[in-house]
Amino acid sequence: QVQLQESGPGLVKPSQTLSLTCTVSGGSISSGGYYWSWIRQHPGKGLEWIGYIYYSGSTYYNPSLKSRVTISVDTSKNQFSLKLSSVTAADTAVYYCARAHSSGYGPWGQGTLVTVSS
Amino acid sequence: EIVLTQSPATLSLSPGERATLSCRASQSVSSYLAWYQQKPGQAPRLLIYDASNRATGIPARFSGSGSGTDFTLTISSLEPEDFAVYYCQQRSNWPPLDTFGQGTKLEIK
């Protein structure tokens, strides 16, 4: 079955750019029919949708983050990536990648904690 | 932005009892609503999509209902592994903006 795995630095300095990659296995991003998504969860808090991308490159972002977010896809590596610029402590969170279909998200990666601190 | 309000914030029940969780949307989301279960240290797991469809591998004791603005997740007879936090989530097709409820913690009484 399809599995997702996040990777990237666990510590980012304030004002720098957070970069994460999600590797998809067990299925091809290029097969279509799904959007590939990033979602985050602040410590002890609820879930926040960041955005998603289609294999063709079409992207949709949360308006509250849109000015700082870029999601891209590399179909040759079966990966998609997140870049969040000008980070602050408020961006400290567990970042999940997930496959979006119909009205829901599944499966999800295990999540990766990113801490913003100097 | 569509706001989802879940109630109650905490639900205390015993194994074997029936659980009813509510999710109310600030405007109609049609049937574009999903439910998730999250246990400590784990990613959320999709339970229900399109308001009433069980995701692959989800036991039949989980069911979803509703449309428009009012939705319900029912667990017919609680198993020990069902005690967790549950989130609802809606999908807006245009403009695309998915939002989540604040969660309901289901705890053992």
Side-chain angles (χ1 to χ4, degrees):
Chain A
Q1 71 276 21
V2 173
Q3 294 183 309
L4 292 82
Q5 177 70 57
E6 306 88 353
S7 60
L11 181 64
V12 181
K13 289 181 167 45
S15 80
Q16 293 191 341
T17 295
L18 178 160
S19 296
L20 296 174
T21 296
C22 183
T23 300
V24 179
S25 58
S28 173
I29 284 179
S30 301
S31 62
Y34 302 102
Y35 281 84
W36 302 91
S37 315
W38 289 98
I39 295 161
R40 70 181 182 179
Q41 186 169 33
H42 294 101
K45 302 294 185 182
L47 298 155
E48 180 181 28
W49 175 70
I50 298 172
Y52 41 60
I53 189 166
Y54 199 56
Y55 78 94
S56 62
S58 299
T59 53
Y60 300 95
Y61 301 135
N62 189 322
S64 69
L65 298 169
K66 188 174 183 178
S67 62
R68 300 194 290 129
V69 171
T70 302
I71 297 176
S72 58
V73 64
D74 185 337
T75 54
S76 67
K77 294 182 179 178
N78 221 30
Q79 295 175 333
F80 61 105
S81 298
L82 169 70
K83 291 189 184 301
L84 181 65
S85 64
S86 304
V87 297
T88 69
D91 295 308
T92 293
V94 175
Y95 286 77
Y96 295 101
C97 58
R99 184 181 69 176
H101 70 96
S102 192
S103 58
Y105 291 95
W108 296 56
Q110 66 185 25
T112 187
L113 174 63
V114 178
T115 301
V116 179
S117 175
S118 55
Chain B
E1 175 179 327
I2 296 175
V3 176
L4 298 179
T5 303
Q6 293 186 240
S7 61
T10 303
L11 184 58
S12 299
L13 294 171
S14 301
E17 290 192 293
R18 181 184 186 91
T20 304
L21 286 68
S22 176
C23 178
R24 175 164 289 177
S26 59
Q27 61 190 78
S28 177
V29 300
S30 185
S31 294
Y32 298 121
L33 189 108
W35 289 93
Y36 303 86
Q37 176 193 69
Q38 187 176 36
K39 297 180 179 179
Q42 295 184 16
R45 177 175 70 145
L46 179 65
L47 300 174
I48 302 288
Y49 66 94
D50 291 350
S52 61
N53 295 298
R54 267 190 308 277
T56 302
I58 301 304
R61 64 181 182 274
F62 291 91
S63 63
S65 63
S67 66
T69 61
D70 290 298
F71 300 87
T72 301
L73 174 70
T74 302
I75 310 172
S76 59
S77 178
L78 286 166
E79 297 287 341
E81 62 266 27
D82 297 338
F83 292 92
V85 178
Y86 292 82
Y87 293 97
C88 58
Q89 168 253 320
Q90 66 80 28
R91 171 150 304 149
S92 300
N93 283 328
W94 195 260
L97 177 53
D98 292 4
T99 56
F100 292 83
Q102 82 280 15
T104 289
K105 181 179 181 180
L106 179 56
E107 64 177 24
I108 300 177
K109 187 173 183 180

